[in-house]
Amino acid sequence: MLEEGNFHTMVEGSLDGVPMRMVLDTGASHSCIDAEIAKTFFPELAVEDNEGVNAGIGGSDFSVQIADFHNFEMGTYHLERLSHLAIVDMSHINTAYRLLKKKPIQMILGNDFLIEHKAIIHYGENMLYFE
């Protein structure tokens, strides 16, 4: 989970069979998927605009859309539905990752996901568990 030379906790999984590299971010209030990934792999996705002020991920007051996805897998953990995933532009994050010679990310798993699914992060074992 914790990559050498990187203090972000990474996990891998898939969304409707599309491989996803994700940052496990306990400081993020909402989970999100990169807008370019959503547009490329899920072009028929039904989205709704998120009303109000949005902040985080390199700025504030940017537009965010929300959508539900299906068939989320991470290791042996499987969800038939992953609800209310924010769709945001992560190009600036992935530009920074490329400069650091790291692989790009497609998703961020935030506290909404971690709390709802009763996640336990064991840093000593470098493992993520679910109750």
Side-chain angles (χ1 to χ4, degrees):
M1 242 176 24
L2 194 58
E3 293 181 319
E4 187 175 330
N6 189 352
F7 293 102
H8 291 145
T9 305
M10 300 293 184
V11 293
E12 294 190 7
S14 66
L15 201 54
D16 275 342
V18 178
M20 296 285 155
R21 180 174 154 78
M22 302 166 267
V23 172
L24 193 67
D25 190 347
T26 60
S29 58
H30 288 66
S31 299
C32 54
I33 186 170
D34 180 52
E36 190 62 33
I37 295 296
K39 184 173 79 173
T40 300
F41 292 100
F42 309 99
E44 304 298 319
L45 190 63
V47 298
E48 62 183 74
D49 290 331
N50 186 35
E51 299 297 324
V53 174
N54 299 295
I57 314 178
S60 64
D61 200 17
F62 52 92
S63 65
V64 173
Q65 293 182 312
I66 304 288
D68 295 338
F69 292 80
H70 300 281
N71 298 313
F72 175 74
E73 292 184 2
M74 186 171 40
T76 59
Y77 195 71
H78 178 263
L79 296 172
E80 289 183 20
R81 180 180 168 108
L82 185 56
S83 300
H84 298 96
L85 196 58
I87 301 169
V88 298
D89 179 7
M90 292 187 193
S91 60
H92 60 288
I93 295 170
N94 284 320
T95 297
Y97 270 59
R98 276 191 292 283
L99 291 172
L100 296 170
K101 298 187 180 355
K102 301 291 180 188
K103 295 177 187 174
I105 61 167
Q106 291 76 42
M107 288 178 60
I108 295 174
L109 290 180
N111 271 335
D112 58 338
F113 177 88
L114 299 171
I115 291 168
E116 181 180 348
H117 300 283
K118 299 180 178 138
I120 300 168
I121 304 168
H122 193 301
Y123 290 102
E125 292 180 6
N126 210 22
M127 294 293 294
L128 174 65
Y129 301 97
F130 297 95
E131 281 188 3

